[in-house]
Amino acid sequence: MLWPISLVLALLLETQPAAPPPQVARVTVELSVHGTPAGPADGRILAQPIGDEASPVAGPNEASFVAPGRVDLTVSREGLWEIRAVSPGWWSEPSTAYVKGPAALVSLVLWPDCAIKGRVEVPKGESVPSDIGVSFAAATEPTAAPGGRIQLVQGGEPIGSVRCPIDEGAFECRIPAGTLDLKLKARAFVSHYLWHRTFPPHGDVDLGTLVLVPGASLVGWVTTADGPPAPGTVEVTLSPRRALPQSVSQEIEKQGQSLRTRPDQRGFFSFDGIDPATYLLQANAPGFSPAQVDLLTVIERTELELRDPLLLQRPLTLVVEVSPARDLRGNPWTLRVVRPEVFPEATALETPVGDDGRVEHGGMAPGAYRALLVDSAGDRFLAEDFELTASSPPLLLEPETIPLSGTVFLGDDPLAAELTFFRSPALRVRTPSDEDGAYSVALPAEGLWSLQVTAEERDVRRTLHDLEVRLSPSLGEATLDVHLPNNTLEGTVVDESGLPVAGA
């Protein structure tokens, strides 16, 4: 029996499950107006889904508003949305809302806007960029800080960014009105900074011509523990550590050269058009200890902005007490203090310990250090990390002595060799073994040690790890015999054609 096609389609449609109703959610938007405007602001609230742009979004997703006031916005589904207000003559920072279940509440503030415009020039051979980014924030202002100090507070509302398209060398866009600090940045070019500029409500400001300099840059701020530095008193030095692969030849030519600049009255500084490399940055000012950041990597045609300001602080006095005051040979210890965060370790202090076991040294910058206690043979007998602050108590260093003896064997034969015991972070003790392989040494701690055995005459250079050193209560010392296998592996190195290869 043949069924009519129309009847078959009708049956199929009747048996299909009903499509679920479209999922909708509601956002309540509260709108306020900054300042005392002459009249209300009106416009549209627009919602854009976040993280799911590939999916088609149907539905209203927008609503009209009059500010100040409140408006309910219906969106086509639950999830994460960006909510923004669009109104001629007004600017508002978009807000992000996760819409689910009951209505989400979003607050938007409308600021009177101002048109900015200008032109850009680029060096010959450079292409004019398609747009320029404008970042803005309320102007940096002096603010009272605890202890009667004055500090500069950077940024604040309104804060945000826009992108200005460039057409035939000219750009124009709108930003919130007010007294602002501006950063103008075109991709692959050095930024321009404008400080404390006034942009009138519903007005327009011509920024003139911006000469765009290609290259990388590094920017940051300097401040002191007493507030902003006096103009002209701070020098900031940028020293190359090592080149990145794309500028090795230039860096070899510049090896050892440093760049210097002075911050402006706000403490802001910049190094423009620098080579891509890894740098050490240091700030110096009379009466303050240096502040520095190491291993800053600047990438070609990008800008590196320091996250935290360089803080110049008043120098402190480091007090160290060592007990016993002399090493096992009866000679004075040497105290070496290094900055472990600087690569390679930078020595901040190296001085013999006095007969009373005490060291006092002024002019030290606050911060993290490592104290190394070195004996008269040059062995590092103690390593201790510490933080130096204005309230730091004296640093007490009490090196232990664990007597250790044993015999070194190469196969079945005693071995005369140089022994170096070492462990992290910086402990190192050396001693020889005699013709009978016997050695005796004092280590600064029990536990696991590594040992390097070197005997040039026997062509021996071996490193052993995880050797356990434990003090025997009955003997009053630790013992450790070292057995090195006396095996030999011989052969011939050849190339793909079977010919011997010398020096492989």
Side-chain angles (χ1 to χ4, degrees):
M1 178 178 179
L2 296 178
W3 293 80
I5 294 178
S6 58
L7 180 59
V8 173
L9 291 176
L11 290 173
L12 288 175
L13 290 174
E14 288 181 3
T15 57
Q16 292 297 316
Q23 185 184 39
V24 295
R26 194 172 80 251
V27 181
T28 297
V29 183
E30 288 187 342
L31 297 117
S32 58
V33 178
H34 179 77
T36 54
D42 59 1
R44 308 283 299 170
I45 297 292
L46 303 180
Q48 173 67 37
I50 297 176
D52 194 20
E53 288 81 355
S55 301
V57 179
N61 301 325
E62 63 176 79
S64 300
F65 75 84
V66 176
R70 172 183 288 209
V71 64
D72 287 333
L73 171 69
T74 300
V75 294
S76 54
R77 61 169 175 78
E78 297 179 338
L80 196 62
W81 290 80
E82 180 189 77
I83 313 296
R84 66 170 58 243
V86 178
S87 176
W90 300 88
W91 174 89
S92 177
E93 175 73 8
S95 181
T96 301
Y98 183 71
V99 183
K100 183 176 177 64
L105 181 62
V106 172
S107 296
L108 297 177
V109 180
L110 294 170
W111 299 71
D113 70 6
C114 177
I116 59 171
K117 59 185 178 181
R119 296 190 61 82
V120 297
E121 288 184 2
V122 299
K124 186 177 181 179
E126 293 284 343
S127 299
V128 177
S130 60
D131 61 15
I132 187 167
V134 180
S135 301
F136 50 84
T140 303
E141 298 287 353
T143 304
R149 297 183 291 109
I150 298 296
Q151 64 181 9
L152 287 176
V153 177
Q154 302 168 22
E157 293 185 343
I159 185 170
S161 62
V162 297
R163 299 211 69 83
C164 296
I166 299 175
D167 183 17
E168 296 184 352
F171 65 89
E172 183 173 352
C173 54
R174 309 188 75 84
I175 63 173
T179 302
L180 307 176
D181 292 337
L182 260 61
K183 171 184 173 180
L184 298 101
K185 176 78 169 74
R187 182 179 177 83
F189 292 90
V190 172
S191 299
H192 285 256
Y193 290 86
L194 304 177
W195 306 109
H196 216 272
R197 294 288 295 268
T198 298
F199 300 92
H202 309 302
D204 61 86
V205 173
D206 191 340
L207 301 181
T209 299
L210 304 180
V211 179
L212 300 183
V213 177
S217 59
L218 185 150
V219 301
W221 295 79
V222 178
T223 188
T224 78
D226 301 332
T233 61
V234 179
E235 183 178 71
V236 182
T237 304
L238 187 66
S239 305
R241 283 297 201 182
R242 61 175 179 265
L244 297 184
Q246 59 264 43
S247 66
V248 172
S249 58
Q250 299 99 308
E251 195 62 31
I252 291 174
E253 295 173 4
K254 291 178 54 182
Q255 193 65 37
Q257 296 183 7
S258 297
L259 303 174
R260 290 177 171 81
T261 190
R262 290 191 180 275
D264 63 16
Q265 65 272 22
R266 295 171 179 80
F268 176 81
F269 65 89
S270 66
F271 292 94
D272 297 335
I274 58 179
D275 290 334
T278 300
Y279 291 93
L280 168 68
L281 181 70
Q282 186 173 73
N284 294 276
F288 293 92
S289 296
Q292 63 185 23
V293 183
D294 199 9
L295 299 181
L296 291 171
T297 299
V298 176
I299 301 174
E300 188 174 18
R301 289 205 167 207
T302 62
E303 180 177 86
L304 175 61
E305 183 174 359
L306 293 186
R307 183 176 57 182
D308 300 314
L310 292 170
L311 177 60
L312 293 167
Q313 302 187 70
R314 296 294 181 184
L316 302 176
T317 297
L318 172 65
V319 179
V320 182
E321 296 176 352
V322 181
S323 178
R326 291 179 173 264
D327 64 18
L328 296 177
R329 298 174 177 84
N331 298 318
W333 297 101
T334 295
L335 174 67
R336 184 180 302 151
V337 180
V338 301
R339 300 298 297 257
E341 78 277 8
V342 178
F343 179 82
E345 281 185 343
T347 300
L349 169 65
E350 185 163 353
T351 183
V353 176
D355 292 337
D356 59 354
R358 187 177 176 88
V359 172
E360 288 192 29
H361 184 78
M364 298 285 291
Y369 291 92
R370 176 174 296 152
L372 302 172
L373 208 54
V374 183
D375 69 6
S376 54
D379 292 327
R380 296 178 178 180
F381 223 76
L382 183 147
E384 184 166 328
D385 293 337
F386 67 97
E387 188 82 18
L388 181 61
T389 67
S391 59
S392 294
L395 178 64
L396 181 59
L397 302 179
E398 296 179 308
E400 295 184 67
T401 53
I402 306 297
L404 173 67
S405 61
T407 305
V408 182
F409 296 92
L410 180 62
D412 296 327
D413 301 327
L415 179 66
E418 289 294 326
L419 311 181
T420 302
F421 291 87
F422 61 95
R423 65 188 294 185
S424 61
L427 300 183
R428 184 194 66 196
V429 178
R430 296 166 297 179
T431 189
S433 61
D434 60 22
E435 293 181 355
D436 296 325
Y439 72 92
S440 179
V441 70
L443 297 184
E446 294 182 287
L448 297 178
W449 285 80
S450 296
L451 171 63
Q452 184 180 79
V453 181
T454 304
E456 299 294 345
E457 294 182 356
R458 302 290 299 274
D459 197 22
V460 173
R461 187 179 182 85
R462 311 272 183 88
T463 300
L464 309 176
H465 298 284
D466 296 332
L467 301 178
E468 188 170 15
V469 175
R470 294 294 175 193
L471 191 65
S472 169
S474 60
L475 298 176
E477 67 173 4
T479 59
L480 178 66
D481 289 339
V482 179
H483 294 269
L484 303 176
N486 190 18
N487 300 326
T488 301
L489 177 65
E490 296 182 353
T492 301
V493 178
V494 296
D495 60 19
E496 63 272 13
S497 62
L499 297 175
V501 178

